[in-house]
Amino acid sequence: MARRPFSTPDALIVVSSDGYFDVFRPDHRRPNDKPAYRGVLAELGPTVRGQDDRLSVRPDSPILETAVSVWASHHGAAAVKGELGLGRNGVQS
């Protein structure tokens, strides 16, 4: 499993090759903190999700970087504030 962090103005997003991504405050520094939101790769768009619901592009792919950036610009602030609901895990963190 590979994990790749992306820093955006509204959130720190860590994408996992196992099919999900975690959203933290942009100033996140503690490695054991629970994410504010956990999403599935399908939320980032069809260009990064394979048929097995895992990451279909390399973690350093510009396609992934673009997908994360677009998602963050539309949903990052809301995810950090807890406005996107429960996320993939079904529990509020």
Side-chain angles (χ1 to χ4, degrees), residues 7-21:
S7 292
T8 71
D10 296 314
L12 170 66
I13 299 174
V14 181
V15 177
S16 170
S17 59
D18 276 355
Y20 66 91
F21 63 95

Side-chain angles (χ1 to χ4, degrees), residues 39-80:
V40 293
L41 291 179
E43 293 176 64
L44 300 178
T47 60
V48 299
R49 187 189 114 228
Q51 290 181 344
D52 60 357
D53 289 329
R54 291 176 174 242
L55 193 61
S56 65
V57 296
R58 296 181 55 85
D60 60 352
S61 166
I63 294 169
L64 179 58
E65 187 170 351
T66 299
V68 169
S69 178
V70 168
W71 187 91
S73 69
H74 290 104
H75 307 289
V80 167

Side-chain angles (χ1 to χ4, degrees), residues 19-39:
Y20 66 91
F21 63 95
D22 292 331
V23 180
F24 299 93
R25 292 184 331 269
D27 60 351
H28 173 73
R29 297 287 184 252
R30 296 184 194 142
N32 293 328
D33 283 353
K34 290 182 181 179
Y37 179 79
R38 177 168 276 183

